Amino acid sequence: MSDPSIKPPQGDRIAKVLSRAGVASRREAERMIEAGRVRVNGAQIMSPALNVTPADSITVDGTPIAAPEPPRLWLFHKPLGLVSTDNDEKGRDTIYSILPEDLPRVMSVGRLDINSEGLLLLTNDGGVKRKLELPSTGWLRRYRVRVNGRPTDDLLEPLRKGVTVDAEAFQPMTVTLDRQQGANAWLTIGIREGRNREIRRALAAVDLSVNRLIRINYGPFQLGELKPGEVEEIRRKTVRDQLGLEPEEVDKAAEQKPAKVTRQRKARDPQRKRISSTPRTVRKPR
């Protein structure tokens, strides 16, 4: 039984504060701390086991961190041929190479593999990222999937009941056979977990090969008419309502109709922090 006389420490963990300020994800921030790059009130810290308050002075590599931004969320239509990581060990192009250069530092909510396309959520807040990725959130993620073959409802029924692949049990999927198109068929599949290559592996278990996979929604957020490479910020009030965040004053500019910009952008350095002056924007790919 906890001692009521012992009060919890004030403030938030230092890695969370760094993440909210757009410096890095929490995990990356912890590595920066352990490397001795962070100082609090002038003193170098080496452990992320520290709570800080707004009264504390925090620097990274000698530079004061920015004030934390409110949680923000963007829709991004990920094209084929890009990976969803900051840096790829194989040297492949990442989604960050085509994001608008005036976008603040963002993290992807989950991933889409290099051969998948469609809706990828981006956020500036590590807490939002974790909340959206938790299986307990239970949001349905729907995909349009093209497979080679002539599937029938009987063939697809195991997916609806839940299959086990390589000793890994997948939850039941919602599966609709939409149409046959020559040697291929189009399916709509909904999942709630999003394990690694889950749909491809589950379909392979019933002898169907995926040759196109497009995510069309993530919970209440829809791909809609967003074109490959385009980014659109979700209104902050919508983010607050859908994620159950604490009420806060909403920036009026964030509630305006999104502006569309067709000007070409340079490749964005994923490590470079930028502040967007337009809270809700759409950007064309390079």
Side-chain angles (χ1 to χ4, degrees):
M1 192 171 184
S2 60
D3 186 346
S5 66
I6 301 177
K7 296 182 179 180
Q10 293 184 331
D12 293 310
R13 283 298 177 103
I14 179 68
K16 177 180 179 180
V17 172
L18 293 174
S19 176
R20 286 292 305 277
V23 174
S25 68
R26 285 198 194 188
R27 187 172 298 176
E28 291 168 342
E30 289 174 355
R31 287 196 287 264
M32 294 168 73
I33 292 166
E34 291 165 356
R37 298 171 58 188
V38 180
R39 289 180 176 268
V40 176
N41 301 324
Q44 185 183 56
I45 61 170
M46 302 298 292
S47 169
L50 173 70
N51 278 41
V52 293
T53 70
D56 291 310
S57 171
I58 304 170
T59 61
V60 177
D61 296 332
T63 302
I65 66 170
E69 289 190 338
R72 297 169 69 184
L73 197 63
W74 290 262
L75 309 175
F76 171 56
H77 188 155
K78 177 195 171 296
L80 286 171
L82 300 177
V83 294
S84 304
T85 55
D86 282 358
N87 295 290
D88 182 64
E89 66 279 0
K90 297 180 181 178
R92 296 170 295 184
D93 290 335
T94 77
I95 60 171
Y96 298 96
S97 66
I98 68 166
L99 291 179
E101 62 177 5
D102 63 347
L103 205 66
R105 188 193 182 283
V106 294
M107 300 162 274
S108 67
V109 176
R111 296 180 181 180
L112 287 174
D113 66 43
I114 193 169
N115 295 316
S116 300
E117 56 192 300
L119 180 62
L120 189 63
L121 297 180
L122 307 173
T123 181
N124 67 331
D125 188 280
V128 168
K129 170 182 166 67
R130 283 191 304 281
K131 184 170 185 175
L132 291 177
E133 290 177 344
L134 284 174
S136 59
T137 302
W139 273 351
L140 185 69
R141 304 155 200 193
R142 292 172 60 244
Y143 299 77
R144 293 273 290 142
V145 184
R146 190 177 66 193
V147 297
N148 183 253
R150 296 183 175 274
T152 63
D153 274 331
D154 287 342
L155 181 69
L156 299 171
E157 189 59 25
L159 305 183
R160 301 182 180 114
K161 295 178 177 178
V163 295
T164 298
V165 181
D166 298 330
E168 186 174 5
F170 295 153
Q171 288 187 1
M173 304 176 176
T174 62
V175 186
T176 303
L177 175 57
D178 297 326
R179 71 178 188 274
Q180 189 72 38
Q181 192 175 41
N184 296 312
W186 279 98
L187 312 172
T188 298
I189 298 180
I191 61 176
R192 294 187 183 274
E193 284 188 303
R195 300 190 185 190
N196 183 39
R197 304 184 80 248
E198 180 175 348
I199 290 178
R200 295 179 189 276
R201 293 165 63 199
L203 286 168
V206 294
D207 297 321
L208 289 173
S209 174
V210 174
N211 53 40
R212 191 170 184 190
L213 190 149
I214 310 165
R215 183 153 66 193
I216 57 176
N217 83 278
Y218 194 113
F221 305 114
Q222 308 288 328
L223 180 64
E225 300 300 318
L226 211 60
K227 294 180 175 57
E230 284 187 345
V231 180
E232 178 179 328
E233 185 172 3
I234 300 166
R235 294 182 178 185
R236 296 183 195 179
K237 184 177 185 302
T238 301
V239 174
R240 190 180 67 221
D241 293 345
Q242 292 291 348
L243 273 59
L245 302 177
E246 291 297 321
E248 60 184 352
E249 183 177 350
V250 178
D251 182 0
K252 297 300 182 182
E255 298 303 296
Q256 297 174 358
K257 185 177 180 180
K260 294 197 175 184
V261 179
T262 57
R263 185 174 55 189
Q264 295 292 315
R265 296 282 182 175
K266 297 184 294 182
R268 177 179 178 272
D269 180 352
Q271 301 302 319
R272 184 177 178 185
K273 182 178 184 299
R274 300 182 184 273
I275 302 299
S276 174
S277 59
T278 307
R280 180 173 162 84
T281 56
V282 176
R283 296 290 187 265
K284 300 286 186 181
R286 295 196 308 153

